[in-house]
Amino acid sequence: MNTTTRADAGTGALADRFEASFGAAPHGVWAAPGRVNLIGEHTDYNEGFVLPFAIDKRARTAVRLRGDSSVRLLSTFGGQGLVEADADGLAPGTVKGWVKYPLGVVWALQQRGIDVPGFDLLLDSDVPLGAGLSSSHAIECAVVLALNELTGAGLTAEEMVMLTHHAENAFVGAPTGIMDQSASLRGASGHAVFLDCRDQSVELVPFRAQDAGLVLLVVDTKVAHSHADGGYASRRASCELGAEVLGVKALRDVTVADLEEAGGLLDPVTFRRVRHVVTENARVLRAVDTLRSHGPARIGHLLDASHASMRDDFEISCPELDLAVDTARGHGAIGARMTGGGFGGSAIALTPVRDERQVRDAVVRAFAEAGFTAPDIFTVTPAAGAERLS
Ligand code: GLA
C-alpha cells in the first residue's frame, strides 16, 4: 500500500464523470492493481508461499460520502447501470453483478464493527474481467482503501487483506486465499511480493525482466472462470482432507521428503493434490533464491515445472492454457505457466525480448488452428500497489 498521492492520467476525467453523474465532486479517487502470480499456485490457503506482483492495470474508484445510509454505485463498464442499496441492509447472497465486490467490502467493514455511512461510488477498471488477473480483488482493494480512509477506520494493509478476504469468502461466496489482495495492497513497482501466507510477512523481491533482456507476456485465453464455481472449492477441500489425514495444521507443514510416506496414507487423487502444493511451495522458495542470486533469466524451469504440476497433479489447467504454455515454450519463451486459480484465465510466458514477436504470432496462430477464441496477449511489469490518486 502506498499512501502518497500521485496524479494519474484519467483521474481528473473520472472525477469529472463522477460529478456529472452524482451532482457533486468526489471526496477522493483511489486505485488498486490486478496481479499476476509468478509462482506459488493454490498454496495461499494452505498457509504456504506465493510470489505474485501488482500489474500496471488497475481499478480506480471515485467516492463521496453521503449524509444518509444509501449507497449508489455506477461503473464505466456498463452492464448494470446505477445500482442503489441500503448500507444498513446488506446480507450475503443478496447481491449480483460487479456491485457484490464493493458491497461485500461495506458488509465486511460492518462485521468488524466499523460504521459505514452511505456513499456514491464510480468505478473504472482496465483489469480484464474474468482473465485470472484478479479484477475482483482490484475492485475490493480500491474500495476498502477509500472507505478505510473516509471512515477513519485506520486499518493496516494486513487488516485490509483479511477484511477483503472475508468479503470474498463470506459475501461473494468464493473460497479464495489471501494472495491477490496482498499483491494489490502491498505490491511495489519493480518488485514481486514474496508472501508467507501463514503470518502475512512480506519481502519485496526485485523483478526487472527488462534488465535481463526479457518480457513477461500474459496470454489471456478468454476462457472465463469463476472461483465461486465448484472446481476451486473442491481443490481446497482435497487439501484440507490431505492435511487432516497427515495430521498437520496445513499442507505448509508437509515437506517434499514427507511425500513418500504420504503416498501410503492418502488416496491417489488426494495424494496428487497434496504433491502439487508441497512441491509448489518448494518451487516458490527456489524461485525467490534464484531471483535474488541470478535474476529472472534462471527461473524458467521452475515456471515450467509449476505448470506441469498444475496440469497433471492439481488438474486445474485446460486445453487453451496448455496450448498457450506449450506454444510459447516452443517458440522461445524460457518458462511458462498458467497463472491464478485455473480452469481458464491467463498464462504467463517469460520471453527474451528478441523472441517476443515470434511467441505472440505463434500463440495466435496455434489458437486459430485449434479453433479457439483469439487470445489477448500483452506484457506486464510490476507496478505500485493500491494508492490514493487525488
Ligand atoms: C485465486 C485466488 C487466490 C489463490 C489463487 C491460486 O486467484 O483468489 O487466493 O488461491 O487462485 O493460487
Side-chain angles (χ1 to χ4, degrees), residues 108 112 144 155-169 176-178 181-182 185 197-200:
R112 253 191 94 110
V144 77
L155 301 176
T156 63
E158 289 89 336
E159 288 169 331
M160 287 190 272
V161 164
M162 293 321 293
L163 194 126
T164 52
H165 177 252
H166 187 48
E168 185 82 5
N169 279 248
T176 50
I178 63 167
Q181 52 276 68
S182 299
L185 288 163
C197 299
R198 174 156 272 171
D199 64 7
Q200 281 204 71

Side-chain angles (χ1 to χ4, degrees), residues 192-213:
V193 179
F194 173 36
L195 170 70
D196 180 338
C197 299
R198 174 156 272 171
D199 64 7
Q200 281 204 71
S201 57
V202 156
E203 286 173 43
L204 294 175
V205 181
F207 183 80
R208 292 193 183 78
Q210 68 277 18
D211 292 355

Side-chain angles (χ1 to χ4, degrees), residues 35 37 40-45 50 132 134 137 168 176-181 227 232 340-342:
R35 62 101 190 89
N37 188 16
E41 224 65 84
H42 287 262
T43 45
D44 60 352
Y45 55 78
V50 291
S134 257
H137 285 99
E168 185 82 5
T176 50
I178 63 167
M179 169 171 74
D180 304 344
Q181 52 276 68
H227 298 324
Y232 187 98

